[in-house]
Amino acid sequence: MKRFDVIVGDITQSDAQAIVNAANETLLGGGGVDGAIHRAAGPELLEECRAIGGCPTGEARLTTGCRLRAKYIIHTVGPVWHGGQQGEPALLASAYRSCLELAAAHGITTVDFPSISTGVFGYPVMQAATVAERAILAFLEDHPEMHQVRMVCHREETARIYRQMYNFWFAATKADRLDVEHKG
Ligand code: ADP
């Protein structure tokens, strides 16, 4: 099993222990992957999110998976893209890191992410992929207990860019440590 992987699929069907939702600050549901997760998880999810009362950009909150196969949903809020000069990369990195820290704090060892911020929020995929992968790979290096983190891209074209950026920036230095069977 690769500790980091990029796959194409529908994240609502994930068999990971936790999936990440690219939500907005209200946590009350929206379009895109957020809408798909709320539809698949059922109305109980909205009740749990209401009780939490929102989430600032760059942070993360945990709910159960409700009717999903995943036991947990980690809701995070990525930044809206305003051209890249308003702290977007730091906020996006923080969103990924916050999700992984929350997962680790709850003993979760497999996490699936959607491509945060690259839909309605407008973050260019190539740049988002670089930020996402840097944050995920740094976390995996520091946390041997995390078995697997995957990017689950809805479209093949998005997955292609995540793979390309991984190969361009990270494969040479990380592949020997991450493309290996997990032995824990
Ligand atoms: P944001 O508001 O953070 O930009 P969106 O939901 O608009 O979030 O888009 C984020 C990404 O999620 C997009 O790449 C979109 O194609 C993808 N997406 C939409 N539905 C799903 C799904 N069911 N599984 C995985 N990814 C999805």
Side-chain angles (χ1 to χ4, degrees), residues 42-126:
E44 310 93 290
L45 179 58
L46 191 56
E47 293 310 310
E48 281 195 55
C49 287
R50 271 212 186 94
I52 292 170
C55 175
T57 301
E59 295 189 18
R61 300 288 184 267
L62 191 77
T63 66
T64 69
C66 299
R67 299 180 196 178
L68 297 184
R69 213 163 141 193
K71 193 164 176 210
Y72 299 100
I73 302 169
I74 300 170
H75 305 262
T76 192
V77 184
V80 175
W81 179 257
H82 293 292
Q85 304 298 313
Q86 298 191 33
E88 294 93 330
L91 287 168
L92 187 60
S94 170
Y96 278 93
R97 208 167 38 240
S98 300
C99 290
L100 292 169
E101 281 166 0
L102 195 55
H106 286 83
I108 295 163
T109 59
T110 57
V111 180
D112 279 356
F113 280 94
S115 177
I116 299 168
S117 284
T118 65
V120 172
F121 283 5
Y123 209 120
V125 180
M126 218 182 264

Side-chain angles (χ1 to χ4, degrees), residues 9-13 21-24 31-37 76-79 113-123 125 152-155 158:
D10 175 358
I11 203 163
T12 65
Q13 305 302 308
N21 180 17
N24 58 55
V33 72
D34 196 5
I37 288 172
T76 192
V77 184
F113 280 94
S115 177
I116 299 168
S117 284
T118 65
V120 172
F121 283 5
Y123 209 120
V125 180
V152 179
C153 301
H154 211 207
R155 297 170 52 224
T158 310

Side-chain angles (χ1 to χ4, degrees), residues 136-149:
I136 292 168
L137 297 179
F139 188 90
L140 287 175
E141 284 214 307
D142 290 347
H143 294 267
E145 77 277 14
M146 186 61 69
H147 288 201
Q148 188 179 49
V149 177

